[in-house]
Amino acid sequence: MAQVPPSGSIVVADWHRCQDSKEYFSKILHKKRRKHFGLLESPVMPPHVAVDTVHYKILISGKTGVGKTALAARLAGRNIPGLHYETTGIETTVVYWPVKLRESGRVFFFRLQLWDCGENALRRFDHFLPSCKEELDAVFLLFSFTDRTSFDDLSNQITKWTGTSRGNVVKLVVGTKYDLYMHCDVTEKDVRDFQETSGLPVLRTGGEASDGLGDVAPILNCLAENLWHQDCVTAKTASHHLQQETGTPP
């Protein structure tokens, strides 16, 4: 994976609070709640506003019970399930998120197709793992602040999703159940040490999901920033190789 860009260096991190973002974010909201988009649906902008959409496949990975399905629901603005159940197959959720690039000022809709696959299903069905890895752009590696074993399992999760059909994959770590600080098995020092060792950013989530955008903006903006950075690095590398093959000067 390319070097992680500094937070806020590529996309405007708090753009959802700015006045010039209202026209874009209104297309993913309905009566101040998030719209639910199917596989063939997309936000509709006025004809005079040209916005490109970039598509990405995101996998949510982690041990059973760590909160994968809850994270997908939170990021999509849906109700978080009250009872835990093991995902029996692969569930997909489509999330649209408007992003403004800091340098150029261009606006994009990021179409994020979240894949949630149960750990038992991955072990039981041989074709699930290749399907999840195929054309994969990024992976959320989850651990729970209330489950030390899920934190210790992160190295295995990183290894599992390294090496896919698309080569480099953006990896972001998300600590769930951060609000249950009275029951934490993972300390802030543990998190800092992991970040220094792995070089991966660690995001936090927990509590009840709100109807607003503030609780998901840090995660979705960080994801968008890393995906865009990865694409730029890949494009630059491909251009360099092409120049070497054709003898074209840079």
Side-chain angles (χ1 to χ4, degrees):
M1 176 181 167
Q3 184 177 3
V4 176
S7 178
S9 62
I10 296 177
V11 308
V12 181
D14 58 349
W15 191 52
H16 63 284
R17 298 191 179 97
C18 300
Q19 186 60 38
D20 65 326
S21 73
K22 302 304 180 187
E23 185 174 17
Y24 301 93
F25 279 95
S26 68
K27 302 306 178 183
I28 66 169
L29 298 172
H30 178 66
K31 296 182 179 180
K32 298 183 179 181
R33 295 183 64 90
R34 297 278 294 283
K35 288 182 181 178
H36 298 167
F37 293 95
L39 292 176
L40 302 179
E41 296 176 307
S42 62
V44 179
M45 296 296 293
H48 68 279
V49 181
V51 183
D52 291 326
T53 300
V54 286
H55 298 243
Y56 296 99
K57 174 182 174 181
I58 319 298
L59 184 87
I60 304 177
S61 175
K63 291 185 60 180
T64 298
V66 81
K68 298 187 292 293
T69 302
L71 178 65
R74 180 185 296 274
L75 295 181
R78 301 182 178 182
N79 294 328
I80 296 178
L83 297 176
H84 169 260
Y85 65 92
E86 169 73 10
T87 303
T88 55
I90 298 175
E91 297 181 359
T92 62
T93 305
V94 174
V95 175
Y96 279 91
W97 187 252
V99 169
K100 183 176 183 179
L101 300 184
R102 181 172 294 280
E103 184 173 340
S104 66
R106 290 187 64 186
V107 176
F108 292 88
F109 272 113
F110 276 62
R111 182 189 185 274
L112 310 170
Q113 187 178 63
L114 307 178
W115 282 47
D116 171 19
C117 184
E119 284 293 285
N120 289 329
L122 276 176
R123 288 191 289 266
R124 182 177 179 184
F125 301 106
D126 293 339
H127 64 284
F128 273 19
L129 184 59
S131 296
C132 289
K133 284 189 172 184
E134 184 178 10
E135 299 297 308
L136 184 64
D137 296 293
V139 57
F140 281 127
L141 304 165
L142 268 61
F143 73 93
S144 169
F145 275 95
T146 64
D147 180 2
R148 179 74 195 194
T149 60
S150 67
F151 181 78
D152 294 336
D153 189 55
L154 284 175
S155 59
N156 293 329
Q157 296 292 333
I158 293 171
T159 301
K160 179 187 296 185
W161 303 111
T162 298
T164 68
S165 62
R166 190 165 286 189
N168 291 329
V169 172
V170 169
K171 300 181 185 69
L172 299 178
V173 179
V174 180
T176 65
K177 305 178 184 178
Y178 186 59
D179 57 311
L180 302 178
Y181 57 89
M182 294 294 292
H183 306 282
C184 280
D185 288 335
V186 181
T187 67
E188 288 297 327
K189 184 180 183 305
D190 293 330
V191 173
R192 288 194 302 270
D193 291 344
F194 172 81
Q195 289 184 116
E196 292 177 1
T197 302
S198 67
L200 298 177
V202 177
L203 306 168
R204 296 161 174 79
T205 185
E208 295 296 326
S210 70
D211 295 334
L213 303 171
D215 60 339
V216 298
I219 296 178
L220 292 176
N221 283 329
C222 182
L223 174 61
E225 193 159 51
N226 280 269
L227 286 168
W228 189 260
H229 178 67
Q230 181 67 60
D231 281 355
C232 291
V233 171
T234 301
K236 184 176 181 180
T237 302
S239 176
H240 177 69
H241 289 329
L242 180 62
Q243 290 169 2
Q244 288 183 322
E245 292 173 0
T246 60
T248 305

